[in-house]
Coordinates of all heavy atoms in Angstrom, one line a residue:
C123 N 2.6 -36.9 -48.2 CA 1.9 -37.8 -49.1 C 0.5 -37.4 -49.1 O -0.2 -37.4 -48.1 CB 2.1 -39.2 -48.6 SG 1.1 -40.4 -49.7
F125 N -1.8 -39.0 -50.6 CA -2.7 -40.1 -50.6 C -3.0 -40.7 -49.2 O -4.1 -40.9 -48.8 CB -2.1 -41.2 -51.5 CG -3.0 -42.4 -51.8 CD1 -4.1 -42.2 -52.7 CD2 -2.8 -43.6 -51.2 CE1 -4.9 -43.3 -52.9 CE2 -3.6 -44.6 -51.4 CZ -4.7 -44.5 -52.3
C126 N -1.9 -41.0 -48.5 CA -2.1 -41.6 -47.1 C -1.8 -40.6 -46.0 O -1.8 -40.9 -44.8 CB -1.2 -42.8 -47.0 SG 0.6 -42.4 -46.7
K127 N -1.6 -39.3 -46.3 CA -1.4 -38.2 -45.4 C -0.1 -38.4 -44.5 O -0.1 -37.8 -43.4 CB -2.6 -38.1 -44.5 CG -3.9 -37.9 -45.2 CD -3.9 -36.6 -46.1 CE -5.2 -36.5 -47.0 NZ -5.0 -35.6 -48.1
A128 N 0.8 -39.2 -44.9 CA 2.0 -39.4 -44.1 C 3.0 -38.2 -44.4 O 2.9 -37.6 -45.4 CB 2.7 -40.7 -44.4
C146 N 6.4 -42.2 -51.3 CA 6.0 -42.5 -50.0 C 6.4 -43.9 -49.6 O 6.3 -44.8 -50.4 CB 4.5 -42.4 -49.9 SG 3.8 -42.7 -48.3
T148 N 5.0 -45.8 -47.3 CA 3.9 -46.7 -47.0 C 3.1 -47.0 -48.3 O 2.7 -48.2 -48.4 CB 2.9 -46.0 -46.0 OG1 3.0 -44.6 -46.1 CG2 3.3 -46.4 -44.6
C149 N 2.9 -46.0 -49.2 CA 2.0 -46.3 -50.3 C 2.6 -46.1 -51.7 O 2.0 -46.2 -52.7 CB 0.7 -45.5 -50.2 SG 1.0 -43.8 -50.3
N150 N 3.9 -45.6 -51.7 CA 4.6 -45.4 -52.9 C 4.0 -44.4 -53.9 O 4.3 -44.4 -55.1 CB 4.8 -46.7 -53.7 CG 6.0 -47.5 -53.2 OD1 7.0 -46.8 -52.9 ND2 6.0 -48.8 -53.3
H151 N 3.2 -43.5 -53.4 CA 2.8 -42.4 -54.2 C 3.9 -41.3 -54.1 O 4.7 -41.2 -53.2 CB 1.5 -41.8 -53.6 CG 0.3 -42.6 -54.1 ND1 -0.1 -43.8 -53.5 CD2 -0.6 -42.4 -55.1 CE1 -1.2 -44.2 -54.1 NE2 -1.5 -43.4 -55.0
Ligands
LIG501 ZN1 1.6 -42.3 -48.7

Side-chain angles (χ1 to χ4, degrees):
C123 175
F125 188 76
C126 73
K127 305 296 172 199
C146 179
T148 29
C149 63
N150 273 327
H151 280 79

